[in-house]
Amino acid sequence: MNTPTLDTAALDRVLCALRANAQSWADAPLAERIGLLERLLPRIADGAAELAAVGARAKGYGPDSPWAAEDWAGGPWALAQNVSARLHVLRRIADGRDPLPAGAVREQDGRTWVDVFPAIGWDRLLLGGYSAQVRIRPGTTAEQVRERAAGQYCGRAEIPGLALVLGAGNVAALTAADILHKLYAEGQVVVAKMNPVNAYLRPHFERIFIEFIERGWVRFVDGGSAEGAYLTTHDGVDTIHITGSERTHDAIVWGTDEQAEQRRRSDTPLIDKPFTSELGGVSPCIVVPGEWSAADFRYQAEHIVTSKMNNSGHNCIASQILVLPRSWDGTERLLEEIRTVLRALPARTDYYPGAEQRLAAVRQAHPEAENHADGCRLLVPDITDHNDVLLTGEVFASALGVVRLPGGTPATFLRHAVDFANDTLPGTLGATLIVHPATEKAHPEAVGSAISGLRYGTLGVNTWSALGFLLGYTPWGAHPGHTQQDIGSGIGFVNNAYMLEDIEKTVLRAPFAPTPRGLFTGSPSLSPRPPYFVTNRAGVTTLERLTRFTTAPGIAQLPAIFASALRG
């Protein structure tokens, strides 16, 4: 077969046109930027059903399948929520107010924290009981945080530039959200190279971003590694952002020839440009022992299975390792509930390239692995070797491993769990911590120390940490400390509607139990089972209605949203 010729002339024309318009975007007044986002929201709404449907069809099921809830959550709703979050902050600035509301920034225990969610009244209605706080790096005062937030809109001049966004192949909203971040947080025009896995999204994105394209501020291109390599080394590109794998990052920065490792050791990269990245890793879900009811075991089993099997595990933030207390009498009961949920889910296949080979590697390492439902949902219920394939690399498929750690008390177990997550598992993008409110109340120092000590960019407490990507207000990226030579889960944060600087981590919180049962578990709220749960019977309907509401809020829409949510 002949290899297609790389059309460098076409790529050169795209870059030339964008660079010619970079200054006009940098000069665009705030009112114009706000108007562009306001007019973008209806285009998301108008094409939302088709955007979700093409994702569903590409994965092998219909738009009415229960699985299609993930295509609404990670597609039109996530994009609408991201745009709405940016609009909220930009409107505050346009009205002459500070980006951050009064009282949002506080100093506690020698650290500065920023309350970023809930941000508006609708948040308290639709996600009651959910909250998000950003912890700032040591040495940064509350005053400095307030002064630096949204600096490019509060007196700091933008420097025109052209950003290359190398799009993600798994979740639809990722590429679009990265484009918005480069435009609005960094003030750069954008060329976005679609990932070959979901290049079918390009016409949908071009329709949504049509005004930006017509003004010469955004362009989309297709292609594989050859096009990506040409763009990353092009003199016309000023900065790069990638959502993908550590291997892809290293191939771009160090190359793939016999000199690649030497370049890494000597820190002589092939490219010398600002490079941000979100690269995934092996994410843990840590379950703290406690007194749980039968309903608690069932609900948290659904939660854990969702955090792994959403999108067939093709998520950089999928819970790959379930960390359980070896001596807890609830461990086996929770695992049995997880098996029940796995068996009951509708059939589907792992669609992402290479998934079959990665699952085969897990089966080879674990002949005893349990195969559930359609045979590709793997459960390895007791991993003891820290060099295990499930602990050393991201599987990016539907395999869940279980590690049992010692600790007769929550405090002892949590010390082991934090050390294991920080020191054994590669990557620092996100982690999930499940703890009963009564257990946290009885052991506040132990739980607080674990929340503080886990080195992850997003920590979800009683919520899958992936929610941090969906909210828009919350910064999304790896825990600081990675370098180009040891990239881990990447460098930098995106989304981040308040445009905070000096970020260390985001801590998300959600009710331990849904309404009305939360009233009896110490986590009262009006929030039912989340619509993105793989077991939610009305997830597609709820997320479709939630997307419509997010693009054009109105109180008349709430009864239908609540009715659907409660049916789930």
Side-chain angles (χ1 to χ4, degrees):
M1 295 180 63
N2 295 324
T3 301
T5 302
L6 179 64
D7 189 354
T8 59
L11 296 175
D12 290 342
R13 288 193 295 272
V14 167
L15 297 179
C16 182
L18 285 168
R19 290 201 70 84
N21 293 293
Q23 186 64 57
S24 67
W25 173 249
D27 293 338
L30 179 55
E32 182 176 3
R33 295 187 179 197
I34 290 174
L36 286 161
L37 291 181
E38 289 174 338
R39 295 188 297 275
L40 187 145
L41 280 172
R43 293 196 294 272
I44 296 174
D46 291 344
E50 184 56 27
L51 179 61
V54 296
R57 287 193 289 266
K59 298 176 189 178
Y61 50 82
D64 296 327
S65 165
W67 290 113
E70 71 189 33
D71 301 294
W72 279 93
W77 179 68
L79 181 54
Q81 176 65 22
N82 192 290
V83 172
S84 297
R86 291 197 182 279
L87 270 173
H88 171 69
V89 177
L90 295 177
R91 285 168 176 162
R92 287 184 60 88
I93 298 169
D95 291 341
R97 294 179 289 168
D98 291 335
L100 290 161
V105 187
R106 53 190 167 83
E107 294 183 6
Q108 178 180 324
D109 300 328
R111 300 297 296 275
T112 300
W113 291 80
V114 185
D115 297 321
V116 297
F117 192 87
I120 58 177
W122 297 127
D123 298 334
R124 295 174 178 85
L125 278 174
L126 295 170
L127 287 170
Y130 287 73
S131 66
Q133 294 78 37
V134 176
R135 187 165 79 169
I136 304 299
R137 296 191 196 192
T140 309
T141 66
E143 182 180 1
Q144 289 171 324
V145 169
R146 286 189 289 265
E147 289 175 348
R148 297 171 184 172
Q152 59 271 50
Y153 295 96
C154 300
R156 188 174 66 213
E158 287 185 340
I159 301 174
L162 194 163
L164 167 63
V165 167
L166 297 171
N170 55 342
V171 176
L174 270 167
T175 299
D178 290 343
I179 292 169
L180 289 169
H181 178 84
K182 282 294 186 179
L183 286 166
Y184 281 87
E186 299 185 20
Q188 298 175 328
V189 296
V190 179
V191 56
K193 190 193 81 65
M194 298 299 297
N195 191 298
V197 177
N198 60 6
Y200 57 83
L201 295 172
R202 175 175 172 173
H204 301 275
F205 289 163
E206 288 180 330
R207 183 188 57 78
I208 290 170
F209 284 95
I210 184 63
E211 285 193 84
F212 295 88
I213 294 171
E214 291 175 342
R215 299 288 294 274
W217 295 330
V218 172
R219 289 288 300 273
F220 292 89
V221 298
D222 293 324
S225 57
E227 286 79 4
Y230 183 77
L231 291 168
T232 57
T233 57
H234 200 287
D235 290 340
V237 170
D238 298 303
T239 69
I240 302 169
H241 178 77
I242 180 175
T243 299
S245 71
E246 180 179 1
R247 294 183 301 278
T248 302
H249 167 276
D250 287 349
I252 293 170
V253 175
W254 311 112
T256 57
D257 58 15
E258 63 277 2
Q259 300 300 316
E261 186 56 35
Q262 178 57 43
R263 292 189 196 99
R264 186 208 299 266
R265 288 196 298 267
S266 60
D267 195 15
T268 53
L270 293 174
I271 59 173
D272 185 20
K273 302 173 183 180
F275 196 140
T276 54
S277 50
E278 186 261 88
L279 306 175
V282 178
S283 294
C285 177
I286 301 169
V287 178
V288 184
E291 295 294 326
W292 290 16
S293 68
D296 293 335
F297 280 105
R298 175 66 184 192
Y299 179 79
Q300 294 303 339
E302 295 176 8
H303 180 191
I304 292 163
V305 170
T306 294
S307 74
K308 173 71 255 190
M309 299 304 167
N310 172 280
N311 203 25
S312 285
H314 307 317
N315 292 322
C316 53
I317 196 63
S319 295
Q320 184 163 309
I321 296 298
L322 178 60
V323 183
L324 295 175
R326 184 171 294 279
S327 59
W328 182 39
D329 58 6
T331 289
E332 292 303 327
R333 186 171 180 181
L334 179 60
L335 287 174
E336 193 52 43
E337 289 288 353
I338 287 172
R339 293 182 179 102
T340 300
V341 175
L342 289 172
R343 288 192 292 266
L345 291 176
R348 70 180 296 181
T349 57
D350 287 22
Y351 68 90
Y352 210 85
E356 184 177 345
Q357 290 82 0
R358 293 189 294 273
L359 287 173
V362 174
R363 291 190 184 96
Q364 182 176 4
H366 292 282
E368 80 287 2
E370 301 174 14
N371 287 269
H372 292 283
D374 51 16
C376 71
R377 292 175 206 146
L378 302 185
L379 176 66
V380 182
D382 194 2
I383 298 173
T384 57
D385 181 2
H386 283 194
N387 292 317
D388 190 276
V389 64
L390 279 164
L391 303 187
T392 56
E394 188 175 9
V395 173
F396 213 67
S398 52
L400 175 65
V402 180
V403 169
R404 304 166 191 237
L405 296 179
T409 66
T412 305
F413 168 74
L414 279 169
R415 285 196 294 271
H416 287 293
V418 171
D419 288 344
F420 170 76
N422 286 344
D423 301 334
T424 300
L425 299 182
T428 64
L429 183 62
T432 299
L433 181 69
I434 298 175
V435 55
H436 194 289
T439 303
E440 183 170 6
K441 185 177 181 179
H443 303 273
E445 291 185 3
V447 176
S449 179
I451 292 172
S452 177
L454 283 163
R455 294 193 297 269
Y456 289 87
T458 297
L459 174 64
V461 181
N462 293 330
T463 179
W464 181 25
S465 53
L467 186 66
F469 166 74
L470 299 175
L471 293 179
Y473 294 100
T474 40
W476 184 247
H479 194 277
H482 299 298
T483 65
Q484 294 280 31
Q485 291 168 288
D486 184 15
I487 195 61
S489 290
I491 297 172
F493 290 89
V494 294
N495 297 357
N496 186 23
Y498 288 109
M499 293 164 277
L500 301 174
E501 298 185 6
D502 307 305
I503 299 159
E504 181 179 281
K505 69 195 298 183
T506 299
V507 178
L508 298 163
R509 280 188 173 270
F512 176 80
T515 188
R517 198 164 49 80
L519 296 171
F520 309 103
T521 62
S523 57
S525 77
L526 294 176
S527 292
R529 175 185 281 103
Y532 58 82
F533 267 33
V534 293
T535 51
N536 193 299
R537 295 167 295 180
V540 171
T541 301
T542 302
L543 283 160
E544 179 178 1
R545 293 173 179 176
L546 186 58
T547 300
R548 306 291 177 193
F549 179 91
T550 305
T551 58
I555 195 168
Q557 302 174 60
L558 293 178
I561 294 174
F562 292 149
S564 175
L566 290 171
R567 287 199 306 271

